[in-house]
Each structure stands twice: as structure tokens, then as C-alpha cells.
Amino acid sequence: MTQQRGSGFVALLTAVNCFFAFPSAAAMDIPLEVLTHANIEQLPTITAQSPGAVIALPPEESFAVTCEAKGNPEPEFRWTKNGQEFDPSLDPLLRKEENSGTFVIPNNGNLTEYQGTYRCFAFNKLGTAVSQEIGFMVPKIPKFPKEGFDPFKVDEGQPFILKCDPPKGIPPLQIYWMTMYLQHIEQDDRVSMGLNGDLYFSHVEEKDSRRDYCCFAAFPKIRTIVQKSAMSVVVSPRKSESPDGANSILQRKPSLLTPPGVRSEAVLVKGEDLKLECIAEGIPTPKVEWEKMGHGRPEKFRLENHGKVLVVPGDEQDVGGKYMCKAKNPLGEVVHYFTVTVEEPPEFLVEPQSQLSMIGADVVIKCSVSGSPQPVTTWSVNGVPLQETLSANRKIFDDTIIIQNGQPSDSAVYQCEASNKHGKILTNANIMIMNLYPIILTSDGQEYSAVEDQGVMMHCKVFSSPPSTIFWSKDDSSELVTGPRFTVHDNGSLEIHTIEKGDTGQYTCLAKNLEGTSAIDAMLYVKDPTKIVAPPQDQSILIGTDAQLSCLVEFDESFRGDFELLWQKDDEEISPNNTEHSRYFLEEGVLHIVNVSHRDQGEYRCVAKTPVDSDAASARLIVLDVPDAPQSVVLSERKNRSVKLRWVPGEDHNSSITEFVIEFEENKWQPGSWRDLQRVPGNHNSAVLDLHGHVGYRFRVYAVNAVGAGPPSKPTERYLTPPAAPDKNPENIKIEGHLPHEMDINWEPLSPIEHNGPGLEYKVSYRRQDVEDEWKEHTVKRHSFVVRNTPTFVPYEIKIQAKNHQGWGPEPKMVTGYSGEDFPSAAPDDVAVEVMNSSMVNVTWKQVPKDKLHGHLGGYRVNWWRMRSLLHSKQSQGERHTAAFPGSRSHGTVSGLVPFSEYSLIVMSFNGRGNGPGSKAVNFKTLEGVPEKIPVFRVADVQKRSISLAWTPPLEPNGILTGYLLEYQLINDTEEAGPLQRVNISKPDTTRWHLRDLEPLSKYRFQLRSCTSMGCGSIVSLESTTLETTSALASTIGLSMTSPTSPPSSPKSRVTKPTRSTIGLASVHTGISSQGWFIGLMSAIALLTLVVLIACFVNRNKGGKYSVKEKEDLHPDVESQGINDDTFCEYSDNDEKPLKGSQHSLSGGLKAEDSGDSLVDYGDDDAQFNEDGSFIGEYAAKKEKRASAEIKATAQTPA
């Protein structure tokens, strides 16, 4: 705080001086804390005092009479007791506290001497403050007088009053009428307790006679209950004057037992309820009615004590006036009128206020009081009656005191006290008259933070006399802060509305009056607002799962250390990451709720807080669960065979109940097992249940919603139905005939609960349907029956009826069935076959006559088998095939036949017993088809510009071969195919082909198909690469030399498989073919091979030439051509399939047992050899044998 400012304040000071040239006489409230801020004198003010009455209850050890005050100088205290001076410090039994007016009365048994009315006076040199009157009450223990009572004798039918007369004591008083055994006396319209505690009998009855009527008086404040001596009442029965001596009580019209007379007055003290009472006697017991005159029946008022007491509320308006009670019975009525006057204790309308006024001003002190009767108002100054003090400048006008031209000597504490018979009130008003320079109570240099677009309040609390004028400026500017966004309040605070970024800066508060000036500075920082950009969303979540509520917030970065993100549930804060709430944890602004339960449902509120602002967003979390078990499941409308079940639905847990499932459990057949009985819609809460007889039922209900089925209710009590005849007969009757002369009857038996009583049996009735026949009946206990010696397959009518000891079930339905079946005795006629194509035929036949079926026609079976291929004349029985055609049919289609074959078939009928005889066999031939895939396709020889291909014929040509279709094409480096070349090979016995004029060192794809007159079969394919140069050795001695790897231009490596005729080196890498050592090695191998071949040739010529040998000389086979491993290629189903790799060998030859193949492997079991050992066996294509990869020795290669 500063007393002087820089040059920027010169203009402000001038303006202030001009403003205060005419001082204002306005007074202001004196905040008590202001007087302690500066070291100035202060009038005493009472800060604490005992309530109006201190009751000395026996259990307490001591009783404090309190009086505390503050002031400057420190106040002193004095007391009066019953209007006389009382000094607690002079009594050694009283304990006085330091710097306090409070004294403590010990509970030492001598309390009565301290009983009285006390008043505290707190004073210093400036004045005296006075407390309210404090009453110290020492209650006496209330007691009923010890007295004995003679029995009260009352004639029956007479009114009677039992007096209580409770002792005096500290209110409130509560009275009870009970017996010696502490049982309440029953009260009603006839017997009731009055407001004074007496027990009123409108008329006594014999049952009122008893010896222990006790009145109990309870005083809750002193925790005391006292009992009056027991009183005895003897009711004398009234004797009738009639001859039979019967009791007779005369009826009489009502009269009032209380209040007496016709009119009475009552006073209602405002704030306290008034009870008006009318208790009447009469026979019959009168009824009491109430009315406010001119207003009818007081509907808002409360009635007590069986309508005999009207409670007039003390907080209602316009309750004064006339009231009437009317007691009436059939014989008449009686009335009483109450005049209710409303009075009230004193209450301040205008309470004198403490004031701070400047010297020379007029001071006005007003004390206006209301009350009824009108309170008496007295004024005091410093605890002394006003009339006993003299002051020339003080004037009194009714309820107002005016101090003219007030001076410091007029400073004092004024007391205004008002009283009437309902109470007394007192208040102190501190009147300070002084001049004081401005004292700014707000700290200098305070910092304020505010949010853009919101408001801020910067404080400047000033205490001065006379009042100061407040000005605000910014950044030491001489210009005042003005404008529509700025407001300077009466308490000096500056409020800025709708803050802008430019409002940041230092602000100065200047306060000045006639005594001087003061100023403080305050710093304002404008921050970015806190905003929830991604609020939590409402969720419906299944119980037991985890919930996540996100809350993404943006706030000013300067509040990083002060930012708080709080979560509330139903307005109560929750603590994530706390062990007490271990199911809650917070992670990056997301509230995780683990294992959600019902108590987690509610409103979740995310609160983002900084020191200057906050933002909040809410979301509703709804927990879904199965419904609770229904409650209050009860049985009603019980009948022999039905009962009504009612229930109260349980909580549906936020998912509507779709249905209720009623279950039952019975104690005879399956005790303890609960089964479904009935389902009802979810908006029902009752159902009528149809029951079986002779069953002990229990029922329970469970509810179903979208989440699932809830738990069942508690079961009902067991309900036993009486026995009854069966409600139904057996169902699912089956009539079967396993033997020709029997009929088996089976049915689904009644379940045990459907028996409806003991002794269940079944009556089986049957008769032939096709002839006139009588019903035959048999009674059985099982659920099957066999009728023997029946004709074969004749119709019967069957009925099955249930019965028990109570009688027969309903009339059964009749079903039809047949007796046992026998095998069909005739075969189909006129069987014919129509060939549809190479693998399918259509078969027709004439149906078997009905009388030859001997049962239910199941259908027809066609059996067929292959006899031979049309390429061969030899017949052989092939595998038998069967096709069934159900129902009454005369044709069928047979597929999957082998083309170009001869077949035989028969047709037969079948029934439930089995197959009938077959028809005469019918032979047929299938048409030609396309051949099967060629089994072996390989490369026989590879040269620079030519490739030789070899293959074997298809195993199943499916007709007469007409030739082969060979296609090939060049494959470039990118695996794209070149133009497709086609070669038609018209000779069907051709198994080898030589292709010329190919590109050297190029890769080709070859595709081959065999053909008949019906077309060509499936494609087999392979790939091979021509050589870079022609191998002279290969052409001379039959040794094919190819690279084991692909040429440089080929993207894939080429490998081959060795054959049984390979000798010498299987393959040689072309990359080293030009090396000297390689050429020498190859020359030696070639020379050695040549010598061996010459020796073999000479040896063979010794045996002479044969026809086969001549063929071999003219057309050398694959073996004699020296096809080695490098030129052997297997066929491939996949054009992209790589060839298998070759095995390299450096030995001079291969042993027979080491060879991968042998001649025996490629021939039939009956392969033959000529005398010179040459192979003359023919290739045989049988399915059972291994597909041969051998090329026929007689195959020719066209030039």
C-alpha cells in the first residue's frame, strides 16, 4: 500500500479533492474484522453468549454461563443476577475463565442458590455491550403424590373421567395411560386422553373394569418418567326393568365433557400450533365435527385424537377467528364455540445497525418492533437507560434516535430491548463517530488470472471515514478504466466483463477521502479458456464388462501444473487409482470402470478445472443385466385342473422384459427337476395354468430380456391336484410288419405326468379294413403289441385308448396300417435300354403288378456290369453296379459307363422286406468317346535344331484311335508363348516323333493328345530346350550330351532323369567343353565306348539275323539309340512343372541291380524272349498293371 503515487495520479487527486469538498453524511456498516486490521479503538461487541435458558440436568458435571466479547481496548465483564450486581469472582465455588466473561457453576449439590436470571455487560472506555437475559434453571424431580385410591364404581353406560393431574416439570410433557404390565390402554372414539392428560370415557362398558389404570408422565429434557398410583375402575352392569332381567342401556344425546360451557377463548402464539379440543359423552358414542365460522370445514388443518382435537397451525395466515366443534349422534348434537386470538412475541421490523459516521454528521438510529400484545420498547446507552443519560444533541422521535452534529464523544453502544408476555429481544448497535484516512484491506501486488470471453473481479476493500471514492487505472496511465465492459462496485472491486487478450496488464486501485489517499496495484493475466473438446458419451453396457468414459480437454499451457481432471458420479467425487475405488482408474483422460456392476449406473460428470475456470460434461452410464427374480409369487383361483399364478416383476435392469417363463416341479416322477410349463408375454404378471391330475406341483417364474434369462423366483407352496382320467391317448402310432404274417403296433407312451392317476393301461383295438370284420381288443401296460397270424400285407384299422383307475381317456383317433410284407414275387417285364451317349443310357421297364409286390413298393433297382471293351473280343465279368429309383417308376437313367464297351443289366422291384426277382438280362453297347490322358510323354533326343518325342498310347482309348494331335510353341525369356505350331499324326500306332528346324538354345513347350472319331482327349505337356551345338558323339555312339543346367538365356535350370541304358558320363557342363583336359577325357571315353559296341555287335552277329533283329537294325529303338539320362523327360500335367534332375555318373557302366528300371518292369507277366534273347513281348495296357514308360521296339520315327 502506498500513500503517494507518481505523476500519473495528479489528475485523479485533483478530481477527488473536488469531489470531497462537500462531505457526505451517509453512514456505513462497520465490518468487525476491519477494526482489527488497523490499530484503532473499537467498541465492545458480544461474540458469544449462553442461550436464553440453561437447565441444570442432573447427569452434567458443571454448567457454563457464557459471555464472550471483543473490542479495543480489550473488554472487561460484569454480571447482574435478578437485576442486582453479581460478581462471579467473589464466589470460590465458581470457576472464572481468563479474559472472558464466562463462569462455570459446578454440579456439587448446591445448585438452587444459583438459580435466577443473569445478564452480562462487556465494557471498555468507549462503551458497554449488553447480553440477552440468561436464565439458570435448577429443575426439581417431578413426582406424583403418594396416595391410595378406592375403586371407582361406575354404572354401565355412564360417562367417566380418570384424572391424571401430572406434576409440574420442565416442558415438554408427554402423558401415557398404560397398565401395570406397560401395555397401552386402547383408545378409540369412546375412550381417549385429553390434552390435560385425563382419560375420558364417553360411556363405560363392562370391559372397562380393571384394577391397573396407570398414568405415566414423561419429561424428555430431564430424562424422567414418573408413574401415578394404579387406579381401579369397577363397572356395574345396568339391570333392566323387563321381567327377563336382561341388560338394557338407555341411549342419550351428546354433551361435552370438555371444554365446559358454550364459548371459550384461546390464544395462538405465532410460530406455535394451537390445539382445540372437544370431548363429548353420549350413547351411541358421538362423532365430533369442526368448522371455522364463515369458512366451512378447515381442510388444511390436522385432526388428532380420533377427530376430537383440531390442530391450528401457527405458521399459517388468517388463522384467527371463530371456530365451532359439533358433537352429534342419532339422538342430537351439542356445539361449542372458540374465539381464537393470534398473538406473537416481539420481532424487529427495523433492527438498529452498527454505524461508522464522520465527525459533524447526523446519526440516525432506528429500532422498529412488532408483536402482539404490542411490545414495550426501551433504549439504553452503554447499558444505562436512555432517560438516565443526558445529551444535548440527542433527540428521540418514537422509535428513532437522532444524534445531531455527531462528535467522537457521542460514540457509544446503544441497546434496543422490546418485550411482551411472549418474550423479550435485545440488540446492540455500535455507533462510532470518527474521521480516518482510507485503509485498503486488500493486499498489494495481488495477481489475478482470467479466461478470455469471461469475467474477472479485482478487489479493493477500503475502510475509511468518511467513505472513500475509488478509481481504477491501468499500466500507470492517468486515464481511468472506463467503458461498458468495466464496473467499479460500491465495495471498491473492479469487474471486467467479457475479457479480451489486451486486458492483460497492471491495474491500480486509488482510494481517497478528506483524510488522505491510498493505492494498491494488481496484475491481471488473460488465459486461454478450458474446454472439453471430446466429452463422454452416454453408454449402455453389459454387467460384468468394462466401461470406458473419455474426456479430452484443452486448457492454457501455463496451468499445466495446476490443471485438474475430476470425475463425479451422481454429484459425488470418485477417486480413480485409489485402493478404495480399485475398480476405477484414469489413463490419458479416459475413466476405466472395471467389472461394471449395478452400483456403477448413474450420471458421470467430467470436470476440468484450472485456478481460473472450469468446464464440465456429463454422460449417462446404463448397466444392462438380466432381470431380477419375480417377487410375491402366489397361487389363486385354485381348481381341480387349473390354478392362477400371480407375481410381481423384478427390476428389468434397463432392458424390457420380453417374456416370463413358468416352470414346475413335481414330487413323484422327477422330483427336484424343474421343467418349462408355460411362457407369457413380458407385459403380463399372471397366468392360468392347466394342470395334470394326481400331481404335487410347485411353481416358479423367471423373466427374460434381451440380455438373457434372469434367476428364478422362490417356489410356491406345493399344490396337489386330485386324480382324473387321462386327458389324451397315445400318439405317433407306428404299424410295421417285420414278418409276412405278423403286424407290430408301437406307439409313444404317455409321459408319467400325463397318467393323471394310478393304474395306467392301453386298450388296443384293431380290425381288417378290406373285409367286414369285428373289432378285436386287447389291454396292455406296455407300449407295443404284436398281432399274429395275419394275412400278408392287408390293411387294418387300429385304435389305442388310455385308461387309469379313474376311467377312460377321450375317444381315440383311428389310424390305418398294413400287416407284414413279403418279398415281391415277380420281375419287371419289357426291360429296354436306350443309349444316350458314350457314358449314359436310359432304362425303361414295365412295372410289377400290385398283387405281386406283397408290400409297399419301395422302388426299382437297376444292376449292371461291364462285359468287355469293344476293342477286344475276350469277355470278362466286371464289377457289378447298382442304382435305386424310389417310388412307382418305369424308367431310370444310368450314368458313369465306360465308353465303347458292352454291358449287361437287369431290373428288379423292392419293398420293405427286400428285393424281388430280377428281370431277364439286357445287353447293350456304349458309343465311342474321347481317349483318356496319355500316361507317358517324354523327350527321346535333343539336338541343336531338333527334338525327338516319345509316348505310350492311352490305357483306355474309349474307341478306335485315329491318331494324335501334337502342338508346340517357343517360350521366350519372359515366359510368354510364341506362335502355336500343330502337327496331326494320322497313324494311330505312332509313338515317336522327330521335330526339326527348331531354334538352337531355345525353350519349347510340347502338348500331345490322342484322338478317336469322337474327338481328342486331355492334354499332356512338357518343356525342353535345344542345345547350343550338335553333339557328334551323341549321334555316333548314342551318348546325348546336354548341360545339367539351363543355358545362360534360360530363366530356369534343366535337369533330366537317368535311364537304364545310360553308360559313361551322364552330362557334361557346356561351360568347360572347350577345355583341353575335357576334350582329352571325352575322347578316351568315346574310344572305350566304341570298342565295347564293336564287341557287342560282333557277338550278336554270331547268332544270325531274325525278323525282329532286322527291325531293330532298320529302326533302332530307344535303347539302341543310346538315349541317356540327359534326354529322358517325364510328362507333366502342368505346363509350368519343372523337370526332374538327372543323376551324374562317372563310372564306366551301371550294374543291373543299380538300374532304376528293367525290361521286366515294362512288360506283361507273360513277356517272352526269342532264342537270341531279343525282346518280342507286346505291350499290354491293363489297369491292374503299372503304366509302362517303355517305347515299343517297333515304333517308327517318320522322317
Side-chain angles (χ1 to χ4, degrees), residues 964-1000:
Y964 297 90
L965 177 62
L966 175 64
E967 298 172 327
Y968 64 96
Q969 59 189 150
L970 177 67
I971 303 175
N972 60 18
D973 293 342
T974 61
E975 296 293 330
E976 294 181 359
L980 184 67
Q981 306 295 325
R982 181 172 296 175
V983 177
N984 287 312
I985 302 172
S986 58
K987 292 184 178 182
D989 58 348
T990 303
T991 58
R992 181 185 179 94
W993 197 262
H994 188 71
L995 295 173
R996 295 184 177 86
D997 299 329
L998 303 179
E999 294 293 331

Side-chain angles (χ1 to χ4, degrees), residues 953-1069:
L955 298 180
E956 286 289 354
N958 293 335
I960 300 173
L961 287 179
T962 60
Y964 297 90
L965 177 62
L966 175 64
E967 298 172 327
Y968 64 96
Q969 59 189 150
L970 177 67
I971 303 175
N972 60 18
D973 293 342
T974 61
E975 296 293 330
E976 294 181 359
L980 184 67
Q981 306 295 325
R982 181 172 296 175
V983 177
N984 287 312
I985 302 172
S986 58
K987 292 184 178 182
D989 58 348
T990 303
T991 58
R992 181 185 179 94
W993 197 262
H994 188 71
L995 295 173
R996 295 184 177 86
D997 299 329
L998 303 179
E999 294 293 331
L1001 199 63
S1002 298
K1003 187 177 182 180
Y1004 285 86
R1005 178 183 294 131
F1006 304 95
Q1007 298 177 346
L1008 182 65
R1009 292 185 286 174
S1010 56
C1011 305
T1012 65
S1013 60
M1014 300 302 294
C1016 297
S1018 301
I1019 293 175
V1020 292
S1021 63
L1022 58 81
E1023 295 177 1
S1024 183
T1025 305
T1026 56
L1027 301 178
E1028 184 177 4
T1029 59
T1030 301
S1031 174
L1033 290 176
S1035 62
T1036 303
I1037 63 175
L1039 178 64
S1040 177
M1041 302 176 64
T1042 62
S1043 173
T1045 59
S1046 300
S1049 62
S1050 176
K1052 294 185 179 180
S1053 58
R1054 286 280 303 168
V1055 292
T1056 59
K1057 179 180 179 182
T1059 66
R1060 61 180 177 275
S1061 61
T1062 303
I1063 60 175
L1065 186 62
S1067 62
V1068 180
H1069 198 288

Side-chain angles (χ1 to χ4, degrees), residues 14-28:
T14 304
V16 170
N17 286 330
C18 294
F19 179 81
F20 279 99
F22 303 95
S24 170
M28 63 172 291

Side-chain angles (χ1 to χ4, degrees), residues 599-731:
R599 67 177 182 269
D600 295 319
Q601 179 169 302
E603 189 85 14
Y604 285 82
R605 182 178 178 85
C606 166
V607 182
K609 296 176 63 177
T610 65
V612 297
D613 72 334
S614 65
D615 195 11
S618 299
R620 182 77 180 171
L621 182 65
I622 297 176
V623 179
L624 304 177
D625 195 4
V626 298
D628 286 344
Q631 303 294 321
S632 304
V633 181
V634 295
L635 299 174
S636 63
E637 301 180 17
R638 306 181 187 216
K639 300 178 182 178
N640 287 346
R641 300 297 302 281
S642 69
V643 69
K644 189 168 188 178
L645 189 69
R646 296 179 181 274
W647 61 88
V648 176
E651 172 63 42
D652 64 5
H653 295 303
N654 305 301
S655 178
S656 298
I657 296 174
T658 57
E659 66 175 351
F660 291 98
V661 180
I662 303 170
E663 296 182 309
F664 76 95
E665 179 262 350
E666 47 83 21
N667 59 352
K668 186 174 182 181
W669 306 104
Q670 293 181 344
S673 174
W674 289 91
R675 290 170 281 171
D676 287 358
L677 178 62
Q678 190 172 331
R679 293 174 181 263
V680 297
N683 58 353
H684 291 195
N685 63 352
S686 66
V688 177
L689 310 178
D690 294 326
L691 308 178
H692 293 287
H694 198 56
V695 177
Y697 284 98
R698 287 197 305 164
F699 306 97
R700 69 184 187 185
V701 188
Y702 67 87
V704 180
N705 62 9
V707 180
S713 67
K714 293 181 180 179
T716 64
E717 72 274 13
R718 197 167 295 279
Y719 180 61
L720 182 63
T721 57
D727 296 322
K728 59 183 292 189
N729 291 310
E731 298 175 344

Side-chain angles (χ1 to χ4, degrees), residues 21-153:
F22 303 95
S24 170
M28 63 172 291
D29 294 342
I30 304 176
L32 296 179
E33 67 273 14
V34 170
L35 300 178
T36 60
H37 187 83
N39 188 19
I40 61 176
E41 293 181 337
Q42 176 187 355
L43 288 165
T45 302
I46 293 179
T47 57
Q49 59 182 319
S50 293
V54 177
I55 301 175
L57 299 177
E60 303 295 336
E61 295 181 356
S62 60
F63 310 95
V65 183
T66 303
C67 183
E68 304 291 341
K70 66 177 182 178
N72 189 20
E74 192 74 24
E76 298 180 54
F77 299 89
R78 64 182 179 87
W79 287 88
T80 61
K81 177 184 177 184
N82 299 327
Q84 303 297 319
E85 290 293 330
F86 173 77
D87 190 351
S89 60
L90 299 179
D91 190 334
L93 297 178
L94 300 181
R95 187 171 69 249
K96 186 76 167 58
E97 298 183 7
E98 291 294 329
N99 300 321
S100 170
T102 301
F103 63 91
V104 179
I105 303 173
N107 190 357
N108 58 3
N110 298 320
L111 293 177
T112 54
E113 64 178 291
Y114 299 105
Q115 188 166 269
T117 302
Y118 293 84
R119 177 163 275 176
C120 173
F121 297 83
F123 62 93
N124 62 15
K125 69 177 183 177
L126 299 180
T128 301
V130 181
S131 74
Q132 298 274 5
E133 288 185 344
I134 303 171
F136 182 70
M137 303 172 61
V138 181
K140 295 180 180 179
I141 301 300
K143 295 180 182 180
F144 279 104
K146 291 183 179 181
E147 53 186 334
F149 297 97
D150 294 330
F152 295 97
K153 295 181 180 181

